[in-house]
Amino acid sequence: LGAGRRVDDALLDEVEEVLYEADLGVEACEQVLDALREQARAQRLRAVEDVVAVLREELLRLLGEPPPPLLPAGATRPRVIVLVGVNGAGKTTTIGKLAARYGAEGKRVIVAAADTFRAAAIDQLAVWAERSGAEIVRQDPGTDPAAVVFDALTAARARGADLLLVDTAGRLHNKANLMAEVQKIRRVLQRADPTMPHETLLVIDGVTGQNGLLQARGFHAAMGLTGVVLTKLDGTAKGGVVVAVKTELGVPVRLVGVGEALDDLQDFVPRAFVDEILG
Amino acid sequence: NLTARLDETLRRLRGQGKLSEANIAEALREVRRALLEADVNFKVAKEFIAEVREEAIGLAVAKTVSPGQQFVKIVHDHLVQLLGTGSRDIAFATKPPTRVLVVGLQGSGKTTLVAKLGLRYRQQGRRPLLVACDIHRPAAIDQLEVLGKSVGVEVFRGESGAAAEEIARDALDRARGDGFDPVIVDTAGRLHIDAGMMQEVAEVKKAVKPHEVLFVADAMTGQDAVQSAKAFDEALGLDGVVLTKMDGDARGGAAISIRAVTGKPIKFIGVGEKLNALESFHPDRVASRILG
Ligand SMILES: Nc1nc2c(ncn2[C@@H]2O[C@H](COP(=O)(O)OP(=O)(O)OP(=O)(O)O)[C@@H](O)[C@H]2O)c(=O)[nH]1
Ligand SMILES: Nc1nc2c(ncn2[C@@H]2O[C@H](COP(=O)(O)OP(=O)(O)OP(=O)(O)O)[C@@H](O)[C@H]2O)c(=O)[nH]1
Ligand SMILES: [Mg+2]
Ligand SMILES: [Mg+2]
């Protein structure tokens, strides 16, 4: 969409390609392209800059306002944040990054190793806890994840932790027994305190296509999501599926993962995200 | 479903003699929409639809099935043809040990696949050696060791601090010395645009001289599938593709995209976290799934 081009069918075809290849999906693409055609009919598109402006405006409108901070000032202690998502999305690594970020702000952070299933999952989280200066609550592999969470909450309250980050096992949303397991984690927290968990974040891999919307529907119905963490945006994928997640479910992106190191975590900035899509 | 939608779109075909440019235009748009919803890459879908159009025009309208069914069959068969050719297992070397290199993006399912292949070949009476060449991810080597142990397959763990390619070299010495075969090498997840990491895996490949390079891709991958697959193919030369997490509800259009852009065969699909959850690839099943 280089500067100085005139607005013709070839350009609009290219726009369609750019939007689709960003993983926006059929619904969102049609919505954005309709807005564009509307402007074209009203003769308001003189140059490619007008096209880009309309696209940017429409995408920003769909994405909504920048989200509130995860750990707001004056939050009750401990603030409990549960991370869920499908296998390999980046949950454990994101917990390490969150622990580091808030640890650096002087917060006392506890991480709960509630993935008691996958090989070496607890060891992996333990490395991140060490690197970030967080304390880890863990049990033997095979322990009921909800029991680990309960333990971790007890520890967080006893030690006056500011933040409790709960790592869960990867799971596909179409597996009823696994979704029941993560709902049990939620119930255990709610029973301890009806405001918990304060945040439930769905971690979505940046390369995910339209399945990201199905994941969000499934996890939102089971858990009630307060946000999405979109990972691996340091790759070439654009992560456009989060637009549909916001417009259909009202669930906003809170954070973005941009690498495998401890500090590779950014707040979600809608404008920067849209500019990446529009190249 | 697509057949029902196409029946509706094509109902005016009844009583017509042939499929024409005009009477299938709408149907082709429906099919393109289905492919895009299934995450087939935009350009790949466009090309595919053009080929289907060419094939369909001039065909006689079928008398024994509905127009929707006829059209879906044309598309389905075309998808199967695109997905279908190529061998279905790894190429075993005449002079052992056979060497397999497993590569792909972060979190795609490589380590799990390496252990699944270990189990598969152990069950065939072979003596596999799994090689832990991921020196980056925390506890990656532990992960492979736990998995290998769970299925009675030996895991080679290199010296602490060794580079990935040194570990690979030492593993091959061990394999030759103790008669392990095949040797299956797990590597760290990496981005195709990370020059340093692509250099590392090129060096591991040089050390391993693999008979088979397998690209592991997540079935839920969207439009980016063409980018990563193409880049890995250009950098390393792929022999096959494994599509993982097919026990999910992703339609799996990435299979089409990857096949279209690399021409390499999909050899296996992962259908679960358990180490016996590995199936050979059936193009007709994947084609039906993509069409929804
Ligand atoms: N490039 C990149 N890699 C990432 C990012 N976040 C996580 N990863 C990598 O993705 C892979 C999977 O990360 P994990 O944290 O183990 O993912 P997970 O969701 O906990 O996985 P399971 O527990 O097995 O479901 C690892 O290799 C991470 O280093 C990111 O933002 N960018
Ligand atoms: N449901 C399901 N999960 C799978 C499948 N294959 C792998 N997994 C899970 O996906 C997650 C990632 O698998 P790994 O084997 O760690 O992936 P990887 O490619 O080695 O990850 P990195 O080394 O970080 O790049 C784990 O939770 C696995 O159990 C599959 O076919 N189905
Ligand atoms: Mg994890
Ligand atoms: Mg791995």
Side-chain angles (χ1 to χ4, degrees):
Chain A
L1 301 174
R5 290 183 57 178
R6 58 191 194 85
V7 183
D8 55 13
D9 280 342
L11 179 71
L12 295 182
D13 279 350
E14 259 178 65
V15 168
E16 186 186 37
E17 186 168 310
V18 165
L19 296 177
Y20 269 105
E21 293 196 330
D23 281 313
L24 250 59
V26 176
E27 291 278 340
C29 279
E30 306 247 318
Q31 194 167 356
V32 172
L33 288 169
D34 281 345
L36 198 61
R37 286 181 201 115
E38 180 78 6
Q39 295 293 323
R41 268 193 295 276
Q43 310 275 11
R44 283 190 222 115
L45 302 178
R46 303 270 162 232
V48 71
E49 286 77 9
D50 300 326
V51 173
V52 175
V54 170
L55 291 176
R56 180 181 292 126
E57 203 168 310
E58 182 61 10
L59 287 170
L60 286 175
R61 186 185 71 77
L62 295 175
L63 283 170
E65 290 304 310
L70 267 192
L71 188 51
T76 55
R77 289 215 216 99
R79 187 157 181 86
V80 181
I81 303 181
V82 178
L83 264 63
V84 296
V86 302
N87 308 72
K91 300 175 289 299
T92 305
T93 308
T94 300
I95 293 212
K97 295 172 182 177
L98 283 170
R101 169 191 276 208
Y102 292 111
E105 289 178 14
K107 303 284 185 246
R108 183 166 188 169
V109 182
I110 294 190
V111 303
D115 178 356
T116 56
F117 168 75
R118 207 208 69 211
I122 299 171
D123 300 314
Q124 182 189 7
L125 185 66
V127 172
W128 285 117
E130 168 136 18
R131 288 181 186 177
S132 63
E135 301 158 42
I136 182 169
V137 170
R138 55 187 289 179
Q139 304 253 22
D140 290 331
T143 308
D144 180 2
V148 179
V149 173
F150 185 78
D151 239 27
L153 179 60
T154 306
R157 281 170 158 172
R159 300 177 207 171
D162 296 292
L163 187 60
L164 172 59
L165 300 169
V166 180
D167 190 17
T168 64
R171 72 201 64 233
L172 299 180
H173 50 284
N174 57 318
K175 306 225 164 150
N177 59 327
L178 298 183
M179 295 307 282
E181 178 186 85
V182 82
Q183 282 181 308
K184 187 173 171 203
I185 288 177
R186 175 182 181 75
R187 269 203 307 282
V188 158
L189 289 167
Q190 276 184 324
R191 252 184 242 136
D193 178 334
T195 66
M196 288 180 181
H198 302 104
E199 301 273 4
T200 304
L201 303 178
L202 174 65
V203 181
I204 297 181
D205 188 323
V207 304
T208 310
Q210 295 313 296
N211 195 251
L213 180 57
L214 295 184
Q215 293 170 23
R217 282 182 193 155
F219 280 97
H220 192 48
M223 304 288 280
L225 300 173
T226 59
V228 163
V229 179
L230 188 58
T231 59
K232 310 179 198 173
L233 276 198
D234 44 320
T236 48
K238 300 288 191 265
V241 69
V242 298
V243 173
V245 172
K246 176 68 169 62
T247 58
E248 181 179 308
L249 302 172
V251 178
V253 180
R254 308 290 289 276
L255 298 162
V256 172
V258 292
E260 300 187 76
L262 211 51
D263 56 359
D264 286 330
L265 186 70
Q266 295 173 356
D267 286 333
F268 180 64
V269 178
R271 171 87 192 212
F273 179 76
V274 169
D275 282 347
E276 260 302 307
I277 289 179
L278 299 179
Chain B
N1 68 9
L2 185 62
T3 304
R5 289 211 301 276
L6 288 177
D7 272 338
E8 184 57 26
T9 308
L10 293 169
R11 57 196 147 79
R12 63 219 160 95
L13 264 195
R14 291 188 185 279
Q16 306 230 344
K18 290 213 191 90
L19 299 180
S20 74
E21 178 93 56
N23 63 26
I24 65 169
E26 186 61 23
L28 284 172
R29 273 197 290 279
E30 278 286 345
V31 174
R32 191 189 83 137
R33 185 186 177 103
L35 294 177
L36 291 173
E37 284 172 345
D39 290 324
V40 176
N41 175 264
F42 185 85
K43 292 196 210 31
V44 170
K46 207 169 185 179
E47 207 158 305
F48 179 84
I49 293 294
E51 288 169 15
V52 169
R53 175 185 295 114
E54 200 143 318
E55 188 175 324
I57 289 177
L59 288 183
V61 173
K63 301 272 191 312
T64 56
V65 297
S66 75
Q69 285 172 319
Q70 174 183 17
F71 208 77
V72 166
K73 177 140 180 20
I74 293 170
V75 175
H76 185 272
D77 290 352
H78 203 90
L79 278 178
V80 169
Q81 191 183 27
L82 171 55
L83 287 171
T85 62
S87 75
R88 296 296 164 74
D89 201 337
I90 70 172
F92 277 91
T94 40
K95 183 163 175 288
T98 294
R99 301 178 292 277
V100 183
L101 182 64
V102 175
V103 302
L105 298 177
Q106 289 88 346
S108 57
K110 300 174 293 299
T111 303
T112 307
L113 174 70
V114 167
K116 286 178 176 180
L117 289 175
L119 175 62
R120 177 187 180 91
Y121 296 124
R122 201 209 74 196
Q123 287 173 335
Q124 287 179 1
R126 304 174 194 272
R127 206 163 146 251
L129 182 66
L130 311 182
V131 185
C133 281
D134 180 352
I135 58 169
H136 301 279
R137 168 171 154 157
I141 297 174
D142 296 328
Q143 182 188 6
L144 188 61
E145 282 193 327
V146 170
L147 293 178
K149 198 163 189 189
S150 74
V151 290
V153 176
E154 183 81 14
V155 174
F156 183 87
R157 159 179 212 132
E159 301 278 329
S160 132
E165 43 121 6
E166 293 178 73
I167 298 171
R169 244 183 276 280
D170 291 345
L172 284 179
D173 288 341
R174 170 92 201 281
R176 290 190 180 102
D178 292 350
F180 285 100
D181 181 37
V183 173
I184 308 168
V185 181
D186 186 24
T187 62
R190 72 200 66 231
L191 296 177
H192 47 290
I193 53 169
D194 184 333
M197 287 299 279
M198 291 308 284
Q199 174 67 16
E200 178 196 77
V201 75
E203 282 168 7
V204 172
K205 182 183 177 204
K206 250 215 226 110
V208 173
K209 294 194 186 48
H211 301 92
E212 192 86 16
V213 177
L214 294 177
F215 180 67
V216 178
D218 197 317
M220 64 177 187
T221 308
Q223 298 288 311
D224 194 60
V226 294
Q227 300 241 38
S228 50
K230 187 154 182 279
F232 272 84
D233 194 24
E234 286 175 0
L236 302 173
L238 305 175
D239 296 291
V241 177
V242 179
L243 214 55
T244 61
K245 307 176 204 171
M246 285 284 276
D247 45 322
D249 55 10
R251 297 265 289 277
I256 296 289
S257 306
I258 294 173
R259 173 74 174 165
V261 84
T262 64
K264 299 297 157 69
I266 297 170
K267 300 216 165 177
F268 301 109
I269 60 170
V271 291
E273 292 191 79
K274 297 215 166 67
L275 297 185
N276 57 7
L278 186 69
E279 291 179 1
S280 29
F281 170 68
H282 291 283
D284 52 324
R285 286 186 211 162
V286 174
S288 300
R289 179 175 173 145
I290 288 171
L291 288 179

